[in-house]
């Protein structure tokens, strides 16, 4: 495990926290896609800049990247040796998004671009709810296709807090 994607079913599933913990224990630098995608004030970066930043990272021998961003999934998945997918229940993801807001109110999280203070609006909650079940279905199909095209690629699916902690304990030693 040297080139690792950490993705998840939804915001609030714990991608960034998981990636940071994994990176600390494997001594591999972690790159948060949100820091590439967002500019100060929640302005989207131009797509070519977003893709270019990822191309720079995947050129390294070792990396961990967390974030979904389906329009660049293939760029990362083709070069990743490991894909770790977190799939916690929708209610847990929603709870964590609200908890994250309260914990970081008026601040920018370390896994977010500078100048993007924590916020939560109805549009984002609607996005989480409306994409949760379709993404579960999409990821199952995507992983099946990946396994067919590259049987050596390790795909780890973790569906509970217990499985996530167990996996980290096994990796950590």
């Amino acid at each position: 495990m040297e080139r690792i994607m950490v993705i998840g079913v939804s915001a609030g599933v714990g991608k960034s926290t998981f990636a940071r913990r994994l990176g600390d224990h494997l001594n591999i630098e972690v790159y948060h896609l949100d820091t590439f995608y967002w500019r100060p004030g929640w302005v989207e970066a131009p797509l070519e800049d977003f893709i270019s930043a990822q191309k720079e990272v995947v050129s390294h021998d070792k990396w961990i990247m967390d974030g979904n961003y389906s329009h660049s999934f293939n760029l990362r998945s083709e070069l990743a040796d490991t894909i770790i997918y977190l799939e916690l229940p929708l209610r847990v993801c929603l709870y964590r998004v609200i908890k994250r807001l309260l914990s970081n109110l008026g601040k920018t999280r370390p896994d977010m671009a500078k100048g993007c203070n924590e916020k939560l609006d109805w549009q984002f909650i609607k996005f989480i709810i409306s994409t949760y079940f379709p993404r579960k279905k999409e990821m199952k199909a995507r992983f099946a296709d990946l396994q067919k095209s590259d049987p050596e690629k390790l795909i780890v699916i973790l569906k509970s807090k217990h499985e996530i902690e167990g996996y980290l304990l096994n990796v950590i030693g």
Side-chain angles (χ1 to χ4, degrees):
M1 280 195 332
E2 296 184 329
R3 296 176 314 280
I4 305 164
M5 284 176 65
V6 177
I7 58 176
V9 69
S10 174
V13 78
K15 297 179 294 291
S16 296
T17 300
F18 181 92
R20 263 193 310 275
R21 290 178 66 191
L22 189 62
D24 286 347
H25 293 291
L26 296 177
N27 199 29
I28 297 176
E29 186 153 0
V30 176
Y31 301 89
H32 305 285
L33 292 182
D34 283 339
T35 64
F36 299 152
Y37 190 78
W38 295 107
R39 301 274 167 88
W42 294 99
V43 174
E44 294 177 30
L47 185 58
E48 49 279 358
D49 292 355
F50 179 61
I51 298 296
S52 177
Q54 291 175 73
K55 284 181 177 177
E56 165 60 27
V57 172
V58 298
S59 73
H60 301 162
D61 292 332
K62 295 182 178 186
W63 47 265
I64 297 174
M65 268 196 271
D66 90 82
N68 290 339
Y69 295 97
S70 58
H71 51 279
S72 63
F73 180 92
N74 291 341
L75 167 68
R76 292 171 279 132
S77 67
E78 287 171 8
L79 296 167
D81 56 43
T82 305
I83 299 173
I84 300 172
Y85 173 68
L86 308 179
E87 187 183 280
L88 297 179
L90 177 58
R91 66 182 171 356
V92 173
C93 296
L94 289 170
Y95 168 78
R96 286 180 171 185
V97 165
I98 293 167
K99 181 181 172 188
R100 182 172 74 190
L101 169 71
L102 297 174
S103 300
N104 294 291
L105 205 53
K107 298 184 278 187
T108 300
R109 298 188 325 262
D111 55 312
M112 185 53 69
K114 299 230 183 298
C116 292
N117 287 351
E118 191 64 31
K119 69 175 188 164
L120 183 62
D121 56 24
W122 175 244
Q123 184 179 355
F124 188 52
I125 289 179
K126 211 164 72 176
F127 171 79
I128 292 168
I129 293 168
S130 67
T131 59
Y132 181 87
F133 294 103
R135 186 171 287 151
K136 277 177 70 167
K137 186 177 181 180
E138 173 194 343
M139 294 315 296
K140 189 175 185 176
R142 193 171 254 180
F143 293 149
D145 290 344
L146 275 171
Q147 289 287 240
K148 283 181 199 166
S149 64
D150 187 356
E152 298 299 311
K153 190 173 303 289
L154 177 61
I155 299 174
V156 178
I157 300 172
L158 304 170
K159 292 189 173 192
S160 71
K161 290 185 265 187
H162 180 74
E163 287 181 8
I164 290 168
E165 286 305 316
Y167 183 81
L168 286 169
L169 284 173
N170 282 337
V171 169
I172 293 164

